[in-house]
Amino acid sequence: ACMLTFYPKFDYDQLNSGIIEIIYLIDVSNSMDGKPLKQAKQLAFIFLSNMMPIKNNSANILFNVVIFGSDNDECFPTSHPATKENLDKAKHFVLHSADHRGNTNLVSVLRIYSLLPSNNGRNFVLLSDGHINDIKSIVLLLKQSQMNDDRFFTCSIGDIANKHNLKRLVNSSSGGGLATVFDTNYRSKWKAKVLNILENLRQPCVNGIVIDWHNDQVDENNNYQFIQAPSRIMSLFNGMRLTVYAFINNCYKATLKANVNGQELTTTVFTSMRTATTGRILHCLTTRGIIDDWENGLLNMDESVNEQLKSQYKQNIIDLSKKYSIGSPFTSFIAIEERNKDDDNGIPQVPGVRLLDIMLEKDTDLLPYLAWDGEKAQVFSL
């Protein structure tokens, strides 16, 4: 088992990074009806409310908001500067926009932008549940030369969101991007995630990441189909850590290749037999990484092939889970306690255990209690 950590850290000129254009794409189709649509508008409001700190830099920030379904509406005819007046107009546009717009016709919106000129590339921020029509046409459109510099940031909304489609859009974008899940059970983390996305919008992006392990052999006893987790590596930004796990024999060298703003980056790390260790910790981490990649990763760009691969690797997931005692969607662990029928004195034991007896025996509740008295805290012991 091998573990490779990549921590990109590079300098970039924040003050003279040129024009930054942000296009917010808000899905208001029928699949977003109810809570997802309300959450999308709330999330868009958070984005617009936190763009002012970015504006304090000397870089020019342009933005626009597009509401789309079967048809689409724009807040402005073209992208406008992120002034307080324009941001207030955009907030009003989002909160009072029409709902229930039929199908999720995202491809028509992107086709219009593909015909418009762009200086340094656009940053698309998609707020959607991922149930998008004609995803193949969108993927082909993102790979065209007119959108080579454009980046895609997706925000997954709703309990039944199609995360595969959203990750696929990010992976298909030539300029890179980031897929973020906004869980309704953790709304307290939404603002932090929004600020992280807004920060990444101003940064160069590391994309097209490929790892060469310089060893194609697989253990004969453990012939795992996907040797690397995550199997597909998406974009990274400055300071983001990437940890990749692999099951492989005699691997003492790995080369990572990536693109940063159109420039190729190559870095190689070495190790030796002296640094090899024995044990199960790294194997357990690798197993956990493979199971997570199986559950939440992107094994193939085609959704049907992706599901087929998941079904094909199901038995491998079960075998790994059982061998290294790592939980998975297909395995459960049961704790069994053995008891004697009679105690040490030969008296039959009463079935069951009283919680009060255990508490009295272990003195688990004899703890000090804290009280507040002005500016001094007094400790009372029972």
Side-chain angles (χ1 to χ4, degrees), residues 11-20 53-61 120 199 202-204:
D11 296 328
Y12 62 97
D13 194 345
Q14 297 185 7
L15 299 180
N16 299 306
S17 57
I19 297 176
I20 300 175
I54 297 182
K55 176 183 169 294
N56 291 337
N57 291 332
S58 60
N60 295 320
I61 307 295
N120 298 323
E199 177 66 23
R202 299 184 293 121
Q203 299 181 11

Side-chain angles (χ1 to χ4, degrees), residues 34-47:
K35 290 183 179 180
L37 181 57
K38 183 178 179 181
Q39 293 166 6
K41 291 186 175 183
Q42 292 173 347
L43 186 57
F45 194 87
I46 297 175
F47 270 106

Side-chain angles (χ1 to χ4, degrees), residues 71-320:
D71 56 355
N72 59 82
D73 285 334
E74 295 179 326
C75 182
F76 306 107
T78 59
S79 297
H80 278 41
T83 62
K84 186 178 185 304
E85 181 182 359
N86 290 333
L87 290 172
D88 290 339
K89 290 181 180 179
K91 293 176 185 177
H92 184 273
F93 174 77
V94 169
L95 296 179
H96 297 85
S97 60
D99 304 336
H100 312 296
R101 296 241 176 155
N103 295 326
T104 313
N105 192 10
L106 177 61
V107 63
S108 62
V109 179
L110 296 178
R111 185 173 287 114
I112 294 173
Y113 276 98
S114 68
L115 301 175
L116 300 176
S118 175
N119 295 325
N120 298 323
R122 290 168 287 254
N123 297 278
F124 293 101
V125 181
L126 174 63
L127 284 65
S128 173
D129 59 357
H131 298 285
I132 301 171
N133 295 339
D134 203 2
I135 191 72
K136 292 183 180 180
S137 298
I138 297 176
V139 171
L140 293 175
L141 188 62
L142 292 175
K143 293 184 178 297
Q144 292 183 3
S145 58
Q146 300 94 323
M147 304 188 74
N148 261 348
D149 297 328
D150 294 343
R151 302 193 293 182
F152 227 94
F153 297 81
T154 61
C155 303
S156 174
I157 298 173
D159 298 331
I160 56 172
N162 190 332
K163 299 180 180 66
H164 178 272
N165 279 346
L166 297 176
K167 292 178 181 179
R168 188 177 176 185
L169 290 176
V170 173
N171 204 50
S172 302
S173 177
S174 301
L178 193 66
T180 307
V181 177
F182 286 85
D183 194 340
T184 56
N185 296 325
Y186 299 96
R187 293 200 182 193
S188 58
K189 298 182 180 180
W190 280 19
K191 184 176 180 180
K193 292 183 177 182
V194 166
L195 293 176
N196 181 58
I197 293 175
L198 292 175
E199 177 66 23
N200 292 334
L201 290 171
R202 299 184 293 121
Q203 299 181 11
C205 179
V206 181
N207 61 349
I209 303 172
V210 178
I211 297 177
D212 183 5
W213 297 92
H214 299 282
N215 192 331
D216 297 330
Q217 297 180 359
V218 183
D219 192 346
E220 296 178 356
N221 297 326
N222 300 307
N223 189 18
Y224 305 119
Q225 296 295 327
F226 39 71
I227 188 174
Q228 175 183 306
S231 55
R232 285 180 173 268
I233 304 172
M234 297 187 183
S235 307
L236 294 177
F237 292 89
N238 193 21
M240 290 181 62
R241 183 177 65 179
L242 169 67
T243 302
V244 184
Y245 300 96
F247 278 118
I248 193 168
N249 279 334
N250 303 320
C251 180
Y252 302 105
K253 179 182 177 181
T255 301
L256 185 143
K257 299 179 180 179
N259 296 318
V260 182
N261 277 5
Q263 299 182 357
E264 185 175 344
L265 167 69
T266 302
T267 180
T268 303
V269 292
F270 299 89
T271 185
S272 63
M273 296 182 63
R274 295 181 179 180
T275 61
T277 60
T278 58
R280 288 170 55 92
I281 295 178
L282 192 53
H283 291 77
C284 291
L285 290 173
T286 305
T287 302
R288 180 70 265 173
I290 290 177
I291 293 175
D292 286 341
D293 191 46
W294 187 93
E295 288 187 87
N296 306 311
L298 187 67
L299 304 182
N300 193 280
M301 293 292 290
D302 188 281
E303 186 173 7
S304 59
V305 178
N306 187 76
E307 294 302 320
Q308 183 180 357
L309 289 174
K310 282 191 172 185
S311 177
Q312 179 181 347
Y313 298 151
K314 178 179 177 180
Q315 188 58 46
N316 292 331
I317 294 294
I318 295 174
D319 295 339
L320 282 171

